[in-house]
Structures are given as structure tokens and as C-alpha cells.
Amino acid sequence: MNRIIVGRLSVNVSGLRVLQRSFCSSVAEKVSSSNSGQPSSESEVKQSFTNNDDQYDVAVVGGGMVGMALACSLASMPLTKHLSVAIIDSNPALGKSNFIKKEDPPDPRVSTVTPATISFFKEIGAWQYVQQHRHAYFDKMQVWDYTGLGYTTYNARDVNKEILGCVVENKVLHSSLLSCMQNTEFQKTIYPSRLTSMALLPSSSSISVDSTPSATTLFTKGHLAKLDLSDGTSLYAKLVVGADGGKSRVRELAGFKTTGWSYSQNAIICTVEHNKENYCAWQRFLTTGPIALLPIGDNFSNIVWTMNPKDASDCKSMNEDDFVKILNHALDYGYGPHPKSISSGSVDMFSWFRGDATLSAKECFEVPPRVVKLASERMVFPLSLKHANNYVSKRVVLIGDAAHTVHPLAGQGVNLGFGDASTLSRIIAEGIAVGADIGEVSLLKKYEAERKPANIVMMAVLDGFQKAYSVDFGPLNILRAAAFHGAQYISPLKRNIISYASGEQRLPLPLPLFT
């Protein structure tokens, strides 16, 4: 199946040659909305039982992190900030201005956002709200496996950066995006409902210029998509964005086919507490899957531990003391010895790797901070890979998990989604600048041509690592150790890995990534 995904990559890379135009903001003019039945205020939450038929430029189905990021991005650009946008999601949090209390314990659901994502959040004006809540920057990572044969340390100094990433609770990211959107002059309407059906008719003759056509007329001529919601509301949009997750209703209704498989693994996530604050991101590969320890500030860290479903169920149900004990066992000497630092005087079988080594190549192996207690519930979810064969059709486009879901071992899933949102908003702006219909396939294909190859490569890399580290076999263990040492001591290789994982470089090199 990997060959299927990677094979399709070669077909789609040619799409990257499509000419992409960049436009200065100086050419932006105020885009007057052609919609009828627009919201009466800049931010409006539609109540149930409304009978109005509303027309929008963009309908975003899914008000999660990626869907909200797209809305904020559209609101931040001169060419798109005047678009009317509907956001369809039954999550009650969308109707609240601030639902986070500072005294709340950390939520176990977190994301490791890359420097590229942080830059995107700053561009759209959302990062200032993240900084008002708990978050943890980290400038160092350590990756090793249970054999004790090798380890790799990554440091932001290796690429002349201050940080490698930032761990943020998902609720903080979501709340920050919501605050950002609410504080912009943006024609937006939130529908607290679910999408039940979607219809799009073939394009026919052009609309008469002698009259102002209704939404129904535009729909019948194929110029709008129609969406019916669970509360009885119907609305129309030039473009429907499916940002509604791995079980996307938009993807289903639009008839997009997918390729993928389920892993025989579950991930258990939780928040833990230390006696001192953790400033490093840690990942260890075990026989059952990787375990990651991620700093989130205030002496707290987040655990993402991959294992088979039975072990995950046992870990979820055991008492706290026993769970903390096996957790420290997995992060310390359990399953195998610590790797030996080269500086300790041990025999270096990979000395030929050394050359122009990075600063972090001289750093010794360190033991992760000890977990002293649980600070949240333990949550378990199954792992899978799924990829939509196509991202776009007429008036419909998929972003985020609706288009692709990946293994969490490198923490890249939500970053891929934010990349989708950034690219799609830019493509929409470019279309508006030349007077294009934002729902036309010819325009949307530019988004697919840019994002699909990048997503497929990342998915193939992560799936390959998942399989490579699921086998305990002597010769393969030696090869993995060589890969760790190569990443540790070959300076260009290490810089490429860090740049790729940070979202700054397109094509990866096949060595271990990190969470």
C-alpha cells in the first residue's frame, strides 16, 4: 500500500509545475459581496428552526482547529477579508468567547506545532492569544530506541534557530483561533448544527445581467452548492470546505474515495507531572511502538504512548501508581539499556560518520525526567492512515484530517492541516485577484497540486517508520542504530531532518523523525 501512495506522488509532483502567481496587497481592492441574505452582523450565531435560505462565498463544514485556521486566514488577507463565510459545527464552544480557565489542569489532547505553523498563526493574528495561555517552547529533542545501540539529539542551534517547536493544548489553539476570528471585521455566521445533505447541479447557461438572481436560481444553474443542516436550515455557497475530520461528512457526500488502513495499535495519551519543569521533547522507540514525553509547562508533560489495543486497555484501567511505574519503566531502563554516549569513552563503531558534526552531536545521552503522578485522565484512540484520492471537485475542497490522517509518531498531523489552510486561503486570494470563480476546479486544482505531494511524502515516511520500528530483528536493529548515528553525526543530514520536521523544507531524508 505504501507503493500505492508513493506511486501517486510521482503523478502529482508534476502538478507543482503549475504556474503560481503572487500578488501584492496593493492590488487588493474592496471586494463587494454578491450574496443575498447576508448576516445582519459581523459575527452571528444562527439559532435552530430558522427558515431563511442564506448565501455565502465560503461554507466551512467543521469548526475545529483547521477549519477555524482557514477562516482566520481568509479574514487576515486584503483580497479575502470581505468574503462572507459560514461555519457549520455543532460544538457549543464556538458560541463562547473564552472557555479556558487558567486554574484548569492541562488537557491531555495537545499538539506539537512547528515553527512554520507558529509563523502562520502570527500572520493571521492568532499567536498572540496562544501566548496568553499555557504553552511550552522547546529547543532540544532526544530520540533513541530500546536496544541501547544509538540515540540522536536535535538542538535548535543546529539550524541557527531559537526553538524547534511548541507544545500547546488543542483547546488553547482552538480558543485562540476563535478569539482571533471574533476580533476581526469579518462577515461570518456560525451555524450550531450538522450537515445532513449537499447538492450541486451541473453548470448551465450564464445568469442574466438584467436581474439579481436568487440563491435558488444560482443553484439551479450550477453556480452554488446547496447544504441542508440538521436543524432544517438550508444555505448556499460558492465553495464548500470539508474540514470535518477523519470521518468527514463532506468527503462522503462529495463521493471522494480514500486509500488507507488501520494499524494494530492504539495510542494512550495523558498529562503527567514532574518535580521540576521539563524543557526537552523525548521520544523512545519500544518493541510495541514509540512513547513520547512532551513538555507543556508548569512541571507538566504530555504522554503519547503507542501500543497494541489490549495493552492500551490494560494501561487505561490500571491504578495510577501502577501506571506511573510502568511509564517510568518505559522511559528509563525498561526494555533495554541506555545508549552509551560517545564521550563516555566507549568504543565507537560509527566513528566514520563523524565529520563536520553539529553542536548537538557532542551532547551526551540524558535520562528523561521522572514522572511522579498523573495529572489527567488517560484517553485511548485507535491509529490509522487514510488519504483521499482527490482533494477537490467542483465547489468542494478537503483540508486537514478530512483529506489525510497520519500516524502520530512525529506529531505532524495538525501541522499538515494548518499547511492546507494556509495554502487554500492563498489560492482563493489569487483566484479573486484575477476574477476567477473560487469554486471552479481549475483554481482548486492548484491547491491540490501543492498540498497533495507534500502530504503523501510525509504519510509515506511516517508509515515507513511505523513499520520499521515494529520489528525486533537483529540486523534491522543494527541498521536502525546506524541511522541514529548518521542523524547524530552527519551535519547536513541532521539539518535537513530538522528543517523538514519544522515545515521549512519540502522533501525529507529517510531518517528518524521526532515528535
Side-chain angles (χ1 to χ4, degrees):
M1 298 294 275
N2 268 347
R3 292 179 180 175
I4 294 175
I5 290 181
V6 177
R8 286 179 180 148
L9 171 62
S10 62
V11 176
N12 288 282
V13 165
S14 61
L16 291 175
R17 300 191 182 100
V18 175
L19 182 61
Q20 305 242 341
R21 306 176 181 89
S22 60
F23 301 93
C24 300
S25 59
S26 60
V27 305
E29 298 179 357
K30 186 172 181 179
V31 181
S32 59
S33 174
S34 61
N35 296 339
S36 58
Q38 288 186 1
S40 58
S41 62
E42 291 176 357
S43 180
E44 176 184 352
V45 177
K46 287 284 185 181
Q47 303 300 322
S48 299
F49 310 115
T50 177
N51 292 318
N52 294 330
D53 287 342
D54 295 307
Q55 180 184 338
Y56 298 92
D57 293 305
V58 181
V60 181
V61 182
M65 293 185 290
V66 174
M68 295 297 290
L70 174 65
C72 289
S73 185
L74 293 174
S76 69
M77 295 189 297
L79 284 167
T80 58
K81 66 181 181 180
H82 302 292
L83 296 178
S84 58
V85 175
I87 300 172
I88 302 164
D89 197 308
S90 58
N91 185 355
L94 294 182
K96 300 178 181 178
S97 58
N98 191 346
F99 54 89
I100 297 179
K101 298 179 181 178
K102 291 186 177 181
E103 62 272 17
D104 289 345
D107 192 274
R109 290 162 294 193
V110 306
S111 293
T112 305
V113 294
T114 63
T117 292
I118 294 173
S119 295
F120 173 54
F121 267 58
K122 289 180 178 179
E123 288 173 5
I124 64 178
W127 194 249
Q128 60 179 315
Y129 301 104
V130 173
Q131 293 177 306
Q132 297 173 9
H133 301 284
R134 179 170 40 230
H135 60 285
Y137 293 104
F138 58 93
D139 61 1
K140 183 179 177 180
M141 304 177 182
Q142 180 176 283
V143 186
W144 73 110
D145 75 3
Y146 61 93
T147 65
L149 294 176
Y151 71 96
T152 303
T153 301
Y154 299 96
N155 198 301
R157 295 174 298 170
D158 295 334
V159 288
N160 299 315
K161 302 289 185 181
E162 294 183 358
I163 63 167
L164 294 177
C166 185
V167 184
V168 190
E169 294 163 67
N170 288 355
K171 67 179 183 181
V172 170
L173 290 172
H174 192 242
S175 174
S176 298
L177 290 164
L178 183 60
S179 296
C180 175
M181 189 186 70
Q182 290 174 335
N183 292 327
T184 59
E185 296 181 359
F186 193 45
Q187 301 177 57
K188 54 198 174 282
T189 306
I190 297 174
Y191 288 82
S193 188
R194 293 177 291 103
L195 176 66
T196 57
S197 65
M198 181 173 65
L200 177 64
L201 299 178
S203 296
S204 59
S205 59
S206 59
I207 303 300
S208 172
V209 296
D210 297 329
S211 62
T212 301
S214 66
T216 303
T217 300
L218 290 170
F219 166 67
T220 59
K221 298 295 184 180
H223 296 277
L224 295 175
K226 180 183 179 183
L227 296 89
D228 296 318
L229 310 185
S230 57
D231 62 3
T233 301
S234 292
L235 59 93
Y236 300 84
K238 296 177 183 177
L239 177 63
V240 178
V241 180
D244 48 344
K247 298 180 180 179
S248 172
R249 179 66 170 159
V250 172
R251 187 182 66 218
E252 176 187 357
L253 292 173
F256 290 107
K257 303 298 183 183
T258 61
T259 299
W261 46 84
S262 295
Y263 297 109
S264 298
Q265 292 178 320
N266 285 357
I268 184 166
I269 63 173
C270 61
T271 303
V272 297
E273 190 172 347
H274 312 286
N275 285 328
K276 60 181 181 179
E277 190 161 359
N278 175 27
Y279 294 100
C280 179
W282 314 80
Q283 181 164 282
R284 187 186 188 196
F285 287 93
L286 307 176
T287 55
T288 56
I291 181 172
L293 181 74
L294 308 172
I296 53 176
D298 300 333
N299 290 15
F300 294 111
S301 289
N302 183 261
I303 292 289
V304 183
W305 190 357
T306 301
M307 60 187 72
N308 65 61
K310 183 182 183 305
D311 288 345
S313 178
D314 292 342
C315 285
K316 188 177 188 303
S317 60
M318 68 176 54
N319 66 58
E320 179 179 332
D321 290 340
D322 288 341
F323 180 73
V324 169
K325 182 178 179 180
I326 68 164
L327 191 56
N328 284 313
H329 183 73
L331 289 166
D332 202 342
Y333 271 104
Y335 301 92
H338 293 158
K340 294 181 180 180
S341 301
I342 300 303
S343 60
S344 66
S346 59
V347 177
D348 181 11
M349 62 183 292
F350 297 99
S351 59
W352 59 278
F353 270 139
R354 299 189 190 186
D356 181 22
T358 58
L359 293 173
S360 62
K362 301 177 182 179
E363 296 183 358
C364 298
F365 175 83
E366 296 182 44
V367 179
R370 191 167 185 81
V371 176
V372 295
K373 63 183 292 187
L374 274 176
S376 76
E377 64 174 321
R378 286 160 277 180
M379 303 177 68
V380 175
F381 57 94
L383 303 181
S384 63
L385 179 148
K386 183 180 291 185
H387 185 258
N389 297 342
N390 296 290
Y391 290 6
V392 306
S393 63
K394 186 176 181 181
R395 308 213 174 279
V396 181
V397 59
L398 302 178
I399 63 175
D401 283 358
H404 44 75
T405 57
V406 300
H407 194 287
L409 70 85
Q412 292 293 328
V414 74
N415 291 293
L416 294 180
F418 289 140
D420 293 345
S422 175
T423 299
L424 179 59
S425 59
R426 174 171 52 81
I427 294 298
I428 291 173
E430 292 179 1
I432 291 173
V434 295
D437 181 346
I438 63 173
E440 282 299 321
V441 175
S442 58
L443 176 68
L444 300 177
K445 278 291 184 181
K446 295 182 180 181
Y447 156 76
E448 181 177 90
E450 183 169 336
R451 291 303 303 165
K452 192 175 182 181
N455 292 336
I456 288 177
V457 170
M458 177 63 79
M459 294 175 74
V461 169
L462 298 184
D463 184 65
F465 285 128
Q466 187 276 331
K467 289 177 170 56
Y469 284 91
S470 297
V471 179
D472 186 12
F473 179 58
L476 184 56
N477 293 344
I478 296 297
L479 289 175
R480 290 197 301 248
F484 276 119
H485 281 268
Q488 179 74 342
Y489 295 111
I490 301 177
S491 179
L493 204 55
K494 175 173 281 192
R495 293 191 181 104
N496 272 278
I497 293 171
I498 295 175
S499 295
Y500 179 66
S502 300
E504 299 175 351
Q505 178 175 307
R506 289 298 176 131
L507 295 178
L509 290 167
L511 285 174
L513 298 179
F514 36 78
T515 303

